[in-house]
Amino acid sequence: MSRFVLLMLLAAASFAAQPVDIETAAKIYQDAEIREQVRASLVSMPGHIRHLFSADPAVKLTDQQLELVTAAAKRGFRIDVFEAPALSALAANLDPPTVKKAAAFLASDLGRRMVAADLATAKLEEATIDKIMNGEITTPSTPQRDALYEKLASAQQSTESTVQIFISMGQAVAVGTAVGSGRDSAAIAENARKSGEASRAGMEQSMRLPLRRYLAYSYRDMSDADLKHLLTFLESQPGKRYVAANIAALGAGFDAMGMRCGEQLGESLRELAQAQVTLPTAGPAAH
């Protein structure tokens, strides 16, 4: 009897882990407006990547090299680079029952308003987003709503997932740069991994409140009842799997863009170095 029960549980687990096809995942991707939300974030990525390199005391780049960083980020951080790996990861981390529940939620009035709120905030100018996250732009709240926002942020894993994406993207840029320039990518990958893990706790601590402010601003027009219904979905088993699938999709897409950016940068820096080595020294003018 126990063996039969075990086999049934294993069969159920296998079915639950069965991925869906790309077309099914693409429908969820479209309904959640992931493309447009990511596209809105890409405008500022070249500036962020340039700051990442210019602020690193271990990396001393010239203005010419920093221009190459900006150019590589523009070529790497594009929606067409993001989309294929993101969709593959989304499909691999969804299953039919989750798709059914998630599709129904996204098609509901609350689901559509949630997506619209997420997209509207994502499309704000970066200066406005910074003010929201710094607390310069606030919305009225109550202790009850604050508690709901806290639970929603936890259910969405907003802090942990954002930090993980930043860390893994930084590692992808570092490894891509090594590959593009012909250096030892394994050693650089290990150093980047150690650096990321060392900074994880501090990053999570510093980002937790700003991301909660961002969430509160996004959902400022929702009632307490709306927030409770949203939390009910996110804390359900399909909701948890939907969140995990979205995090996997974003991680895969940003990793791919980071790697592409790094490869482009590595190639450009190598070409620049070769050009400087082979540049002939100017001699005196002939008389």
Side-chain angles (χ1 to χ4, degrees), residues 137-242:
I137 297 177
T138 59
T139 58
S141 188
T142 64
Q144 291 77 14
R145 282 183 74 84
D146 289 342
L148 287 170
Y149 289 140
E150 185 74 31
K151 291 179 180 179
L152 283 169
S154 177
Q156 292 179 342
Q157 300 180 44
S158 56
T159 301
E160 295 79 5
S161 61
T162 300
V163 168
Q164 179 57 45
I165 287 171
F166 281 165
I167 289 175
S168 61
M169 184 182 67
Q171 291 172 358
V173 171
V175 172
T177 304
V179 170
S181 57
R183 290 181 291 152
D184 181 7
S185 60
I188 289 177
E190 180 61 16
N191 288 337
R193 185 193 65 78
K194 289 180 179 178
S195 177
E197 289 306 313
S199 63
R200 182 185 298 275
M203 289 178 66
E204 289 184 358
Q205 180 64 29
S206 65
M207 293 183 72
R208 199 171 301 280
L209 179 56
L211 287 171
R212 195 164 70 241
R213 290 169 177 157
Y214 182 91
L215 185 148
Y217 182 88
S218 297
Y219 299 159
R220 63 193 182 282
D221 293 330
M222 290 187 183
S223 67
D224 286 9
D226 289 334
L227 297 179
K228 289 177 182 177
H229 287 137
L230 175 55
L231 187 60
T232 297
F233 168 70
L234 294 175
E235 289 183 335
S236 69
Q237 195 56 43
K240 290 178 180 178
R241 182 145 193 169
Y242 170 73

Side-chain angles (χ1 to χ4, degrees), residues 27 31 101-112:
K27 181 64 168 62
D31 290 347
K101 293 290 187 181
F105 172 75
L106 292 171
S108 69
D109 174 68
L110 178 59
R112 289 196 299 270

Side-chain angles (χ1 to χ4, degrees), residues 1-9:
M1 181 67 178
S2 60
R3 182 183 293 273
F4 174 76
V5 172
L6 178 59
L7 289 173
M8 291 297 290
L9 288 172

